[in-house]
Amino acid sequence: MVRPQPRPGSDESELRLWLDEVDKSMVFRPASALGMSCGTVTIDPERGMLLVIWNDRLKLFQLPKGRRNINETMFSAALRETYEETGLHVTPVQLDVATRATPPRAHHSDTSKKPPNITEGHPSNEFVGACLYPDPQSETEALKIVYFFAATAQCTDARDAGTQEEWEKLDAKWIPLSEIWTTLRFEAEIQVVIKTVEDMRKSGYMIST
């Protein structure tokens, strides 16, 4: 972990030492070694239900997600992949998410000061979090990053058929939020759901549990 940046006016040698630490902490990866996927945490707030998929190939429940297409935004990829894997057009929701994205210029008019490291109080469609892990299905070494966005839908909504790729063996299902610990296979995805529920409640959504 790199220590905090030296204060203005600090000794030049101290600044050099700090920059050396930053340099040693940096890691370069070519685009071919980084996998970017996007998905949604889709909730039916009124009924306290979560949209998941059964992956018959891997025999597990997981959140809907998939690889981003070239030139596609992460947000669009998350909605598209959710539709393709579940047959549902979900509705993205704007939340007060604590994010490293900078606030809009209109909300940060004092340009003499740097924007805060963490921005809050600006409802947006920013991703709520990400899961990072070595891609176990890649033939070459790659780090996979999955960005998740918050969305809503009703568990009574009809699903479109024929939206999946031919090789996919997925089945969409709604589960009670209270069952995520016993249903979702991956702990990181459980944490994403918990974070999404917290952000939705902080943003004024009433969610049954």
Side-chain angles (χ1 to χ4, degrees):
M1 182 176 180
V2 178
R3 57 195 171 93
Q5 180 178 351
R7 295 183 177 181
S10 297
D11 183 79
E12 188 174 329
S13 61
E14 184 179 356
L15 178 60
R16 283 200 302 269
L17 287 173
W18 177 74
L19 290 173
D20 286 342
E21 291 181 18
V22 173
D23 185 31
K24 291 177 182 178
S25 71
M26 284 188 183
V27 176
F28 168 76
R29 286 178 180 266
S32 59
L34 291 170
M36 180 184 290
S37 291
C38 305
T40 65
V41 178
T42 297
I43 293 173
D44 181 336
E46 183 179 350
R47 299 172 179 85
M49 303 291 282
L50 172 71
L51 180 63
V52 299
I53 54 173
W54 169 254
N55 187 325
D56 193 58
R57 186 167 54 89
L58 299 178
K59 306 301 181 185
L60 55 81
F61 281 105
Q62 62 190 91
L63 296 173
K65 61 184 179 292
R67 289 171 60 182
R68 183 181 66 87
N69 292 335
I70 290 177
N71 292 332
E72 185 179 32
T73 67
M74 294 193 300
F75 183 60
S76 296
L79 298 179
R80 174 186 55 76
E81 283 290 342
T82 299
Y83 174 69
E84 289 180 357
E85 293 189 346
T86 69
L88 283 172
H89 287 290
V90 301
T91 302
V93 293
Q94 290 202 337
L95 302 179
D96 181 5
V97 177
T99 175
R100 291 274 173 171
T102 54
R105 182 67 176 269
H107 298 275
H108 185 68
S109 56
D110 187 356
T111 56
S112 65
K113 297 180 181 179
K114 288 180 61 178
N117 288 331
I118 298 176
T119 302
E120 295 186 82
H122 298 278
S124 69
N125 291 122
E126 287 293 312
F127 64 93
V128 297
C131 300
L132 292 75
Y133 52 99
D135 190 342
Q137 301 184 71
S138 175
E139 297 177 356
T140 57
E141 182 179 350
L143 176 66
K144 188 170 185 175
I145 309 173
V146 186
Y147 296 88
F148 285 99
F149 296 79
T152 60
Q154 293 187 347
C155 60
T156 55
D157 289 345
R159 299 198 296 265
D160 292 342
T163 59
Q164 295 180 20
E165 300 284 349
E166 290 185 12
W167 59 271
E168 291 180 310
K169 305 294 183 182
L170 307 174
D171 184 26
K173 181 180 179 181
W174 289 93
I175 65 168
L177 282 166
S178 59
E179 295 181 5
I180 59 173
W181 291 271
T182 56
T183 303
L184 289 175
R185 177 61 179 83
F186 302 119
E187 175 64 26
E189 290 196 351
I190 293 173
Q191 295 303 314
V192 171
V193 176
I194 293 173
K195 173 65 162 52
T196 302
V197 171
E198 290 175 351
D199 285 341
M200 289 182 71
R201 285 177 169 158
K202 183 176 70 172
S203 302
Y205 283 83
M206 301 294 292
I207 302 177
S208 298
T209 55

